[in-house]
Amino acid sequence: MSEKSRKRLTIVGLIFAIVCLILLSLKNQVYYPEMQAREAVESAREKKNFTYFEGNRKPLVIFYPGALVEPESYGIWAKKVAESGYPVAIAHFPLDFALLSVNRADQIDRKGGYVIGGHSLGAVCAARYAAEKKHRKDLKGVFLMAGYADEKGDLSKSRIPVLQITASRDGVIRKTRLKENSRFLPENTVKEVIQGGNHSGFGAYTMQKGDNKAKISTRQQQEKIAEIMIRWLDSLNEK
């Protein structure tokens, strides 16, 4: 083997080792669902790249999880929304990172109407998906949990109904960015604040680094999320 070939193999080996270390590091940072969330998803079924809760009403609710948060973590509020009639599809992403597959919603049947949203980084990615005109067919609304739209997800000039839910004890979301990025949302955006809730409480998983301790239980925050979501979905059907 030539010296040049050996150098190439060494470089490839180093790159492979670095990638493995990065993947291992990310895996060790994943936030895992609590038992109550795992129990909630027992009533769901697995579709390709989605955890799916059945429902007999429209629109379909497509949800993008926050970065490094396992999909099952959102099972409690998702189950409650589905029990009210609205089907919920929680997307699965490579490495639990929505940025790696922003167009994941393309892989589920959206005919008949759908809303799309997410938590934290998942909310940013959902807004980006909705901002593309090719995805506007059958799109009924966008919802953002502890998240916002950015320049690539600019919805300000759209007529899409938008719901933004935040929590008063959120220690993760950047408050300045939340305020600044309001310019990317329509003027009639519905904004709801869960008093006493925190960032981690939008799911039911191990407390996120940097978050504040909530003043309400995870169960209470999940119930409030479901209540807000159902009320908003009902309002879309009234239009």
Side-chain angles (χ1 to χ4, degrees):
M1 183 182 293
S2 66
E3 183 65 22
K4 191 174 182 179
S5 296
R6 280 196 293 269
K7 286 183 177 179
R8 284 178 178 172
L9 282 175
T10 300
I11 292 171
V12 170
L14 285 172
I15 292 173
F16 179 75
I18 291 170
V19 170
C20 287
L21 286 172
I22 292 173
L23 293 179
L24 182 60
S25 176
L26 287 174
K27 190 63 180 175
N28 288 335
Q29 295 178 50
V30 169
Y31 296 102
Y32 295 101
E34 297 175 1
M35 183 58 68
Q36 54 184 328
R38 292 183 186 278
E39 291 173 350
V41 298
E42 289 177 1
S43 62
R45 63 188 178 89
E46 294 298 313
K47 284 193 171 185
K48 183 182 179 182
N49 294 318
F50 288 92
T51 294
Y52 187 80
F53 291 84
E54 298 280 359
N56 55 16
R57 301 174 68 185
K58 295 294 182 182
L60 163 68
V61 179
I62 300 175
F63 181 77
Y64 284 9
L68 304 177
V69 182
E70 289 202 340
E72 291 81 2
S73 302
Y74 303 93
I76 300 174
W77 68 256
K79 181 180 179 181
K80 289 181 180 296
V81 170
E83 287 174 344
S84 76
Y86 298 103
V88 180
I90 304 175
H92 296 201
F93 293 100
L95 302 176
D96 294 311
F97 207 64
L99 275 176
L100 297 178
S101 186
V102 174
N103 291 332
R104 178 67 82 205
D106 286 348
Q107 298 181 8
I108 195 165
D109 185 3
R110 304 181 306 284
K111 293 177 183 177
Y114 75 101
V115 297
I116 188 168
H119 173 219
S120 196
L121 180 62
V124 175
C125 293
R128 290 183 181 184
Y129 182 89
E132 293 190 41
K133 290 184 178 180
K134 65 181 180 179
H135 297 143
R136 297 286 178 83
K137 183 180 179 181
D138 296 319
L139 177 61
K140 305 301 181 184
V142 175
F143 62 97
L144 312 169
M145 296 183 184
Y148 41 72
D150 64 3
E151 190 171 1
K152 291 182 180 179
D154 190 349
L155 302 171
S156 61
K157 293 180 176 61
S158 74
R159 295 182 179 180
I160 303 170
V162 176
L163 168 67
Q164 185 178 52
I165 313 173
T166 54
S168 66
R169 296 283 297 165
D170 191 328
V172 177
I173 195 169
R174 294 170 61 184
K175 298 296 196 304
T176 53
R177 181 66 63 82
L178 178 67
K179 184 177 180 180
E180 290 170 359
N181 283 33
S182 290
R183 69 186 189 275
F184 298 125
L185 298 178
E187 290 184 1
N188 62 346
T189 295
V190 176
K191 296 185 178 183
E192 299 273 2
V193 180
I194 298 177
Q195 296 299 327
N198 65 3
H199 196 86
S200 308
F202 282 93
Y205 58 91
T206 48
M207 188 166 172
Q208 200 155 336
K209 184 178 179 180
D211 204 1
N212 294 318
K213 186 176 181 180
K215 291 189 175 181
I216 59 176
S217 68
T218 298
R219 176 69 66 174
Q220 288 174 314
Q221 186 164 341
Q222 293 286 294
E223 289 176 352
K224 188 63 178 176
I225 292 167
E227 176 189 320
I228 293 170
M229 283 293 296
I230 293 166
R231 184 168 63 242
W232 179 66
L233 291 165
D234 286 344
S235 73
L236 297 181
N237 284 328
E238 293 170 359
K239 293 179 181 180

